[in-house]
Amino acid sequence: MAEFDQTKKSFRLRSERWFNDPQDPSMTALYVERQLNFGLTRGELQSGRPIIGIAQTGSDIAPCNRHHIALAPRIAAGIRDAGGVPLEFPIHPIQETLKRPTAALDRNLAYLSLVEVLHGYPIDGVVLTTGCDKTTPACLMGAATVNIPAIVFSGGPMLDGHHQGRLTGSGTIVWEARRMLAAGEIDYEGFMELVASSSTSVGHCNTMGTALSMNSLAEALGMSLPGCAAIPGPYRERGQMAHATGVRIVEMVRENLRPSDIMTKAAFENVVATASAIGASSNCPPHMVAIARHMGVDHDLADWQRVGADVPLLVDCQPAGRFLGEKFHQGGGVPAVMKELLAAGRLNAGALTVTGKSIAENLAKIPDGDRDVIRAYQKPMKEHAGFVVLTGNLFDNAVMKISVIDAEFRARFLADPPDVFEGKVVVFEGPEDYHARIEDPDLGVDERTVLVIRNTGPVGYPGAAEVVNMQPPAALIKKGINALPTMGDGRQSGTSASPSILNVSPEAAVGGGLALLKSGDPIRIDLNTRRVDVLIPEAELAARRAAWVPPVLLNKTPWEEIQRGMVGQLGSGGCLEPATLYLNILETRGESRHNH
């Protein structure tokens, strides 16, 4: 057997140094003996076969990932067939739809726990099971930090939802149902029935929300096998992909193919182009920036503007289009999209992937996609459909998802002059304030109003909640005005079709410009210059800043206090800032000391 380990030095596998060290029989016996109590043998542990971790994100309180419990044996079978030994372990659960105050609070917690497992246990390579949106960045951040061979196996979207003969997409139908309820078109029972129709089977959101977006981008990054991301959860191909992933991770360990070989600057640029083409979630930029920071790669929001702003929208999938996850998979999925981008010269063809081959090699024999759902590059759904990165006198950066600006919104708000809007703001202190006051006629909300929500960022909420996509008051909805310009220092669901100004950094809770706004202030949004400015004298803005007093924040759990004390802003990935100093830790910091 070749003598190597994950630090590129001439040495044995990490697991061998735990389980088979004749120079230290006492510690070797201690490590081996307890692993035998559920049926493993010394032969398995001491044979030099790679020990492969299966990072399990599925549980009863993470239903979007729960089917990984059933898929893990298929991964394990692939590992066994390739000559490895599988060891399954849990990851802190993250479920977007269930966790209060927001699942984003736990992305960094799950990351930390994964780092501790991968660094502190005898694991030679790992299969990262992903699904619900925060699980994907958490897993990739952890794998980047430790930098042992790793591969992403996503759980896939739910089957398409239907209600009364029409497609209903998870999340997307919630925002439509809210408008219908406000307009009096449905009652509570109708609301519940309509929304529930979108949840059809095992799997994550079946729209191009953050889950399908992030798993598609993990594939574009090169960290999943080609075609993995879009296979629906219940399809037999999902189990087949699980087996193939198990086989491949053993080969990757033997090849010593690590995240640092794959997650390069070129790979992150491929992600940006792919994100624009698929109409990816507005949550993707901060997640990808976070992954890159933990990998030690220079990648920031400027790359999203430079690489992706002029990439066309190719995928006709809700919320930017018509179809759902099943059609996306059947139409060719991520490989068909990337084939279009590669032919148009929008990808770095030589970027390495978990196959051990380049993007170009992986795509060489991919057929054209179904043109109903994946358009040709020269005949896109929309031109220049990427993210716009904004700045101005209120913040350093924010993002706006251009692909979901529909004709009605553009005609009402961005037509005269083109891509410019001026109005007055109505400011809410958080979602509770918004829900309590949005129907108050004294607010004066009209079709020239920008709804602003603050104290919803990584520190203020805490965790940065998906609350920016605010709908107009019912009186305007009944007049046919279904959306207003919105802005906030939090996030919004990737399933929302609202073209909001999101992830405003720095946030209000740490003294960002949104903290200085007052209802009635005039504001100008100019997508041509990529600026958002409050139109008040600089002296007035300075006086407000001088008078600003930091809010008193109530921490309800120890983790909330820890996170608030260390977390950065969404514009730089929302990372735990001290953690970003820990790069490639096995190679740079070494193994931990023995435990006895």
Side-chain angles (χ1 to χ4, degrees):
M1 191 189 87
E3 297 274 300
F4 63 80
D5 77 352
Q6 285 81 0
T7 65
K8 302 275 188 187
K9 299 172 184 175
S10 180
F11 207 86
R12 295 182 298 169
L13 290 171
R14 294 181 74 209
S15 59
E16 284 195 274
R17 287 181 274 138
W18 258 268
F19 293 137
N20 193 18
D21 184 0
Q23 303 304 313
D24 194 349
S26 177
M27 287 308 307
T28 297
L30 187 66
Y31 294 136
V32 167
E33 61 91 11
R34 204 52 52 94
Q35 294 304 119
L36 305 180
N37 74 359
F38 64 100
L40 285 178
T41 66
R42 280 183 57 198
E44 291 170 288
L45 297 174
Q46 297 185 309
S47 63
R49 297 167 64 183
I51 304 297
I52 306 297
I54 301 174
Q56 178 58 265
T57 58
S59 70
D60 286 352
I61 60 172
C64 291
N65 293 36
R66 190 180 185 279
H67 57 306
H68 277 306
I69 298 171
L71 289 166
R74 292 297 298 146
I75 299 173
I79 293 168
R80 286 277 181 190
D81 287 349
V85 178
L87 292 179
E88 186 176 346
F89 63 88
I91 292 182
H92 180 84
I94 314 177
Q95 177 61 36
E96 181 61 52
T97 57
L98 200 63
K99 172 63 194 286
R100 292 182 179 182
T102 169
L105 182 69
D106 284 3
R107 185 201 71 179
N108 290 335
L109 183 58
Y111 152 76
L112 287 176
S113 69
L114 179 59
V115 168
E116 290 302 311
V117 172
L118 296 184
H119 185 262
Y121 286 84
I123 294 173
D124 300 308
V126 63
V127 176
L128 307 166
T129 66
T130 67
C132 192
D133 47 18
K134 312 301 181 298
T135 61
T136 308
C139 284
L140 285 168
M141 290 157 62
T145 296
V146 183
N147 201 25
I148 62 172
I151 189 170
V152 169
F153 174 69
S154 51
M158 294 183 288
L159 301 179
D160 289 358
H162 297 87
H163 184 263
Q164 296 181 354
R166 55 168 292 196
L167 283 174
T168 54
S170 46
T172 297
I173 196 62
V174 175
W175 322 124
E176 181 178 345
R178 283 181 177 177
R179 290 192 292 270
M180 294 172 69
L181 185 65
E185 298 171 12
I186 55 175
D187 58 11
Y188 172 79
E189 289 300 323
F191 183 96
M192 296 299 296
E193 179 183 351
L194 181 56
V195 173
S197 69
S198 68
S199 188
T200 56
S201 70
V202 298
H204 57 64
C205 286
N206 50 25
T207 48
M208 191 60 74
T210 310
L212 184 52
S213 296
M214 280 303 302
N215 289 304
S216 295
L217 297 188
E219 184 176 327
L221 187 62
M223 288 298 292
S224 285
L225 291 177
C228 178
I231 302 169
Y235 277 27
R236 68 180 183 184
E237 290 91 341
R238 180 55 63 189
Q240 292 165 347
M241 181 62 75
H243 183 272
T245 300
V247 169
R248 182 57 195 151
I249 187 60
V250 176
E251 296 169 347
M252 289 174 66
V253 169
R254 289 173 173 149
E255 296 163 13
N256 201 18
L257 182 60
R258 301 186 295 168
S260 57
D261 300 315
I262 298 166
M263 291 197 283
T264 61
K265 178 75 172 180
F268 281 98
E269 290 179 343
N270 288 345
V271 162
V272 174
T274 305
S276 298
I278 66 175
S281 162
S282 56
N283 291 309
C284 294
H287 287 323
M288 297 310 302
V289 168
I291 295 164
R293 291 188 70 192
H294 287 289
M295 193 72 261
V297 172
D298 179 17
H299 172 69
D300 57 24
L301 290 182
D303 292 322
W304 287 76
Q305 182 67 47
R306 175 179 60 85
V307 175
D310 65 338
V311 173
L313 177 65
L314 303 183
V315 175
D316 192 349
C317 191
Q318 294 182 26
R322 298 171 295 168
F323 300 115
L324 297 173
E326 276 194 272
K327 187 75 169 177
F328 179 47
H329 167 63
Q330 294 163 1
V334 176
V337 177
M338 295 187 75
K339 178 185 177 182
E340 294 296 321
L341 294 172
L342 181 66
R346 301 309 299 256
L347 294 182
N348 295 303
L352 191 63
T353 74
V354 292
T355 65
K357 300 177 182 178
S358 69
I359 288 287
E361 290 173 303
N362 289 345
L363 298 176
K365 297 182 180 180
I366 295 295
D368 290 342
D370 178 346
R371 295 307 185 206
D372 279 345
V373 64
I374 300 174
R375 307 293 177 85
Y377 189 90
Q378 302 302 328
K379 296 181 180 179
M381 289 182 63
K382 294 181 181 179
E383 299 280 358
H384 309 305
F387 294 87
V388 169
V389 180
L390 301 160
T391 188
N393 66 357
L394 287 171
F395 48 79
D396 294 338
N397 52 66
V399 297
M400 186 175 185
K401 182 177 173 178
I402 301 301
S403 63
V404 291
I405 296 179
D406 61 22
E408 179 184 350
F409 189 94
R410 182 170 293 280
R412 189 181 299 277
F413 302 114
L414 295 170
D416 187 22
D419 287 333
V420 177
F421 178 79
E422 290 190 7
K424 292 189 176 182
V425 301
V426 169
V427 182
F428 300 99
E429 300 300 332
E432 296 84 2
D433 185 35
Y434 161 76
H435 289 296
R437 294 197 296 132
I438 186 60
E439 302 298 340
D440 184 352
D442 292 338
L443 285 179
V445 176
D446 60 23
E447 58 268 33
R448 304 300 297 177
T449 297
V450 178
L451 302 178
V452 177
I453 192 167
R454 62 190 176 200
N455 301 314
T456 61
V459 175
Y461 202 73
E466 294 187 342
V467 294
V468 180
N469 47 326
M470 299 168 284
Q471 69 182 25
L476 286 184
I477 293 175
K478 291 175 181 178
K479 292 180 181 179
I481 301 172
N482 292 317
L484 288 172
T486 59
M487 179 169 64
D489 52 11
R491 303 173 300 111
Q492 75 180 30
S493 172
T495 66
S496 172
S498 175
S500 304
I501 297 169
L502 300 159
N503 309 346
V504 168
S505 302
E507 63 182 296
V510 299
L514 293 193
L516 311 180
L517 278 182
K518 295 181 179 179
S519 291
D521 283 344
I523 197 168
R524 177 182 174 88
I525 301 168
D526 188 339
L527 300 186
N528 301 300
T529 61
R530 305 195 302 275
R531 287 192 64 89
V532 176
D533 295 292
V534 59
L535 305 178
I536 62 175
E538 182 58 37
E540 169 64 15
L541 202 58
R544 293 183 189 182
R545 188 174 301 281
W548 178 75
V549 176
V552 176
L553 302 174
L554 173 64
N555 295 308
K556 297 186 177 181
T557 67
W559 172 239
E560 288 187 8
E561 181 174 1
I562 293 168
Q563 162 109 345
R564 275 175 161 153
M566 296 184 178
V567 74
Q569 293 296 293
L570 289 174
S572 56
C575 301
L576 296 178
E577 289 300 322
T580 63
L581 302 177
Y582 288 75
L583 301 175
N584 192 13
I585 57 177
L586 273 178
E587 191 163 347
T588 60
R589 296 172 184 258
E591 298 280 13
S592 293
R593 299 159 73 181
H594 285 302
N595 58 27
H596 285 77

